[in-house]
């Protein structure tokens, strides 16, 4: 399987899996905005860790450091 197709399927699964968690959370007085905040914060932390690990962070800010 091609790498891009794998990432597309993974993104689709992750996108779809949020809805059951939101429905379950509504029964515990969480609002959908709370879940959106948690989801975006989690993704931001994961992306930050990934870019630090791959060295993309240094490449992106190298022109600013000169």
């Amino acid at each position: 399987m091609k790498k891009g197709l794998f990432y597309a399927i993974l993104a689709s699964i992750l996108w779809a899996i949020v809805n059951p968690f939101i429905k379950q959370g509504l029964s515990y007085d969480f609002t959908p905005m709370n879940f959106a905040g948690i989801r975006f914060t989690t993704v931001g932390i994961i992306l930050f860790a990934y870019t630090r690990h791959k060295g993309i962070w240094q490449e992106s800010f190298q022109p600013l450091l000169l």
Side-chain angles (χ1 to χ4, degrees), residues 1-10:
M1 184 167 17
K2 292 186 178 183
K3 199 175 196 180
L5 181 61
F6 172 74
Y7 288 136
I9 292 171
L10 181 65

Side-chain angles (χ1 to χ4, degrees), residues 3-65:
K3 199 175 196 180
L5 181 61
F6 172 74
Y7 288 136
I9 292 171
L10 181 65
S12 298
I13 291 170
L14 291 176
W15 188 281
I17 203 168
V18 172
N19 292 331
F21 287 113
I22 290 174
K23 286 182 182 180
Q24 182 67 29
L26 288 174
S27 65
Y28 293 108
D29 293 332
F30 277 108
T31 64
M33 291 301 290
N34 287 343
F35 280 102
I38 291 169
R39 187 174 71 181
F40 285 124
T41 302
T42 304
V43 169
I45 291 169
I46 291 169
L47 284 175
F48 178 74
Y50 177 77
T51 56
R52 283 289 280 190
H53 176 70
K54 291 290 185 176
I56 300 170
W57 187 259
Q58 287 82 11
E59 292 175 10
S60 299
F61 289 104
Q62 186 65 25
L64 298 176
L65 299 176

